[in-house]
Amino acid sequence: MIDEEADRRALPGNGLPAERVLAEVRALRAADRPTHGGRLFAYVYDPAVPGLDELAAAAYAGSAHVNGLDPTAFPSLLAMENALVGAAARLLGGGPGSAAPDVVGSVTSGGTESLILAVKAARDAHPEITEPRIVVPASAHAAFAKAAHYLRVAVDPVPVSARTLRPAAADVAAAIGPATVLVVCSAPSYAHGVVDPVAEIARAAASAGVRCHVDACFGGWTLPYLRRLGVDVPPFDFALAGVTSISVDLHKYAYAPKGVSVLLHRDPALRAPQYFAYADWPGYTMVNPVIASTRSGGPIAAAYATLRHLGDDGYLRLAAATRDAVAGLADAVRTVDGLRLMAEPESTVVCFTATDPGLDLFVLVDELAARGWHTQPQQSYADLPRSVHLTVTAAVAPRVAEFGPDLADAVAAARAAGPVALPAELLALAGTLTPEALTPDLVAGLAAGLGLTIPADAAPADAGTAPADAGTAPAGPLPGRTAVVNTLLDAAPPALRERLLVEFVGLLQRPTW
């Protein structure tokens, strides 16, 4: 007799037919945001190129079991990694005949790993500095804070202008001290899509004898093409003598599957401290260029296939389509009374805020989602207002004409609904509660009060019997509208906001028994 409850577990008592397992996966995936179609403005990057997904999946499958731990055992992976590094280096001002002919690099699992390794290399290059520090603009990616936390490096933050959304190069230079091992700048910053004054910052770092890392994870694969299309892109790459390392994600605008990033160093000596080697044990001598030891060749092969298939001319066409989509979306924002662009777009981001106090941006995000547009709300920070972020890809271009009317309609609906009004006691709690006082029970109570449900079992009740064409997934743990949640997070100080989210995600991530 088959135990149906046990059958629904990840490890059932009896193995299940392949088609049934795939049907379960399809049923679970039905609750996800759409990864294609040009209506999701965050997390995924869609070029809308027919056949590309199938090509990448085939390449991925063919190398999924290849292990990057030992390049001598799997020379195919080494060859593909070197090719990806070379392509990124040439695109970003390095390689033969350039100002940085000796650029080297490594393929990582994503932008966060690339940034952690950039900080590690800078830290380990100066063992004499016992309390190393990094200078980081407030607009730099949060992964630098993560790197500093993991590596026990102190962060010296530099504020950004509320007008330009950039740090002043003079402020960055003033923050450099005797213990500084790395200076950071963005090309562009993720939140607002503006390029920092990299030339001036790199010059200040070089004058102080400090490394300068350009985080181009987000824009490194588009800015060079936008420049070729006539966009006024400021210098940011290895053409600048003071730039010592650059990161660029291939799973963003190179349109490769997750997760592939490249970390480039200006020369081999700068990369050397990035490696970890260990021989003082009875096993094999370990040497790793990146954080992981075992690495699947699947993502690397998929990225290699994607670059080879699209080619330089393909990326130029995709950049042109993206540029046009950005212009169209920005025009749509400009035409709506009560909205303003946070900055004139200069990359692949459209970011806007509200000028009308009666227009709640978090309610607007919900109204856009109800119309099929999935945007990314951003909480207020220092003297920067809350905003809405749109990451624009080539797949958005055919949808631009639909966005303007829906945006105007969503704004009207948000005005009619009015701003979110949190209960006075909840606002008081957000202002007085300390992160240390939070407990899982307290967070669960807050979640319930805000309309969030924490399922007792993360697996769908009918996962074991989902039909192959299942189009409806079980309700997820979050409601369709999140304006109240975002308003609470916006009211909470950053440290409390962090703790709230840690505890809440901890409640979500529980084993399915």
Side-chain angles (χ1 to χ4, degrees):
M1 182 175 179
I2 296 177
D3 182 344
E4 293 186 3
E5 180 180 350
D7 248 10
R8 288 195 289 267
R9 298 172 185 165
L11 183 63
N14 300 287
L16 305 177
E19 184 49 42
R20 177 174 166 181
V21 175
L22 292 175
E24 293 174 8
V25 173
R26 286 192 290 268
L28 291 166
R29 281 279 290 112
D32 294 344
R33 298 291 195 213
T35 59
H36 294 74
R39 286 178 168 266
L40 176 59
F41 292 106
Y43 310 120
V44 299
Y45 297 79
D46 178 16
V49 174
L52 185 61
D53 282 355
E54 292 77 12
L55 170 67
Y60 193 114
S63 294
H65 298 291
V66 173
N67 191 345
L69 175 61
D70 185 351
T72 66
F74 304 102
S76 67
L77 192 57
L78 177 63
M80 287 187 280
E81 286 196 68
N82 286 341
L84 294 176
V85 169
R90 286 192 300 274
L91 193 65
L92 295 170
S98 74
D102 299 321
V103 169
V104 294
S106 305
V107 176
T108 74
S109 64
T112 294
E113 185 179 4
S114 289
L115 299 185
I116 290 173
L117 288 170
V119 174
K120 177 193 181 300
R123 182 200 67 175
D124 290 359
H126 291 282
E128 77 283 2
I129 298 178
T130 56
E131 297 182 352
R133 311 183 72 86
I134 59 176
V135 174
V136 181
S139 55
H141 198 279
F144 284 108
K146 185 176 184 178
H149 176 73
Y150 280 8
L151 299 172
R152 297 180 182 239
V153 172
V155 175
D156 291 317
V158 177
V160 297
S161 163
R163 182 180 61 83
T164 68
L165 307 175
R166 297 173 174 85
D171 291 343
V172 175
I176 299 173
T180 302
V181 296
L182 185 68
V183 173
V184 168
C185 44
S186 304
S189 62
Y190 177 82
H192 306 115
V194 298
V195 180
D196 287 345
V198 178
E200 294 87 347
I201 291 173
R203 190 180 306 120
S207 296
V210 176
R211 296 183 183 212
C212 177
H213 180 79
V214 177
D215 175 16
C217 287
F218 190 57
W221 209 267
T222 54
L223 292 175
Y225 289 106
L226 291 174
R227 180 183 287 140
R228 284 166 56 180
L229 291 166
V231 177
D232 184 17
V233 175
F236 71 94
D237 59 18
F238 286 120
L240 300 172
V243 171
T244 55
S245 57
I246 304 176
S247 51
V248 56
D249 288 358
L250 303 189
H251 61 221
K252 288 188 170 70
Y253 286 99
Y255 295 113
K258 309 289 184 188
V260 188
S261 178
V262 174
L263 172 60
L264 301 170
H265 292 277
R266 195 173 194 94
D267 60 54
L270 290 167
R271 181 179 63 173
Q274 175 187 311
Y275 283 85
F276 175 80
Y278 192 76
D280 193 14
W281 75 303
Y284 63 93
T285 299
M286 175 184 284
V287 57
N288 300 141
V290 296
I291 293 174
S293 293
T294 289
R295 291 185 294 148
S296 168
I300 293 169
Y304 177 82
T306 300
L307 266 64
R308 296 283 293 167
H309 182 60
L310 291 177
D312 185 68
D313 61 335
Y315 284 115
L316 190 64
R317 288 193 300 272
L318 292 169
T322 305
R323 173 204 58 190
D324 294 345
V326 166
L329 294 173
D331 283 343
V333 172
R334 292 188 190 98
T335 61
V336 177
D337 184 46
L339 298 179
R340 73 167 176 88
L341 294 168
M342 289 288 290
E344 285 299 315
E346 58 185 60
S347 58
T348 57
V349 171
V350 174
C351 183
F352 61 88
T353 189
T355 58
D356 178 357
L359 176 57
D360 189 324
L361 280 182
F362 297 148
V363 176
L364 175 58
V365 164
D366 285 345
E367 292 295 339
L368 285 169
R371 290 157 178 79
W373 302 97
H374 306 288
T375 61
Q376 192 168 54
Q378 299 182 143
Q379 274 84 29
S380 56
Y381 173 81
D383 53 356
L384 299 176
R386 60 178 66 168
S387 60
V388 178
H389 169 104
L390 310 180
T391 291
V392 185
T393 65
V396 175
R399 299 286 194 176
V400 170
E402 306 168 33
F403 182 77
D406 281 353
L407 177 63
D409 188 49
V411 165
R415 278 203 179 98
V420 168
L422 292 177
E425 60 272 19
L426 196 56
L427 276 174
L429 192 63
T432 59
L433 193 64
T434 64
E436 296 74 24
L438 285 179
T439 64
D441 287 344
L442 179 57
V443 173
L446 282 172
L450 293 172
L452 299 159
T453 58
I454 310 298
D457 188 336
D462 60 347
T465 57
D469 61 348
T472 303
L478 295 177
R481 292 181 175 264
T482 58
V484 173
V485 178
N486 283 317
T487 302
L488 174 62
L489 293 175
D490 196 53
L496 180 59
R497 188 187 308 168
E498 292 164 1
R499 189 65 187 171
L500 278 167
L501 288 173
V502 165
E503 291 294 340
F504 179 68
V505 173
L507 290 172
L508 293 179
Q509 294 180 328
R510 297 182 299 174
T512 301
W513 302 113

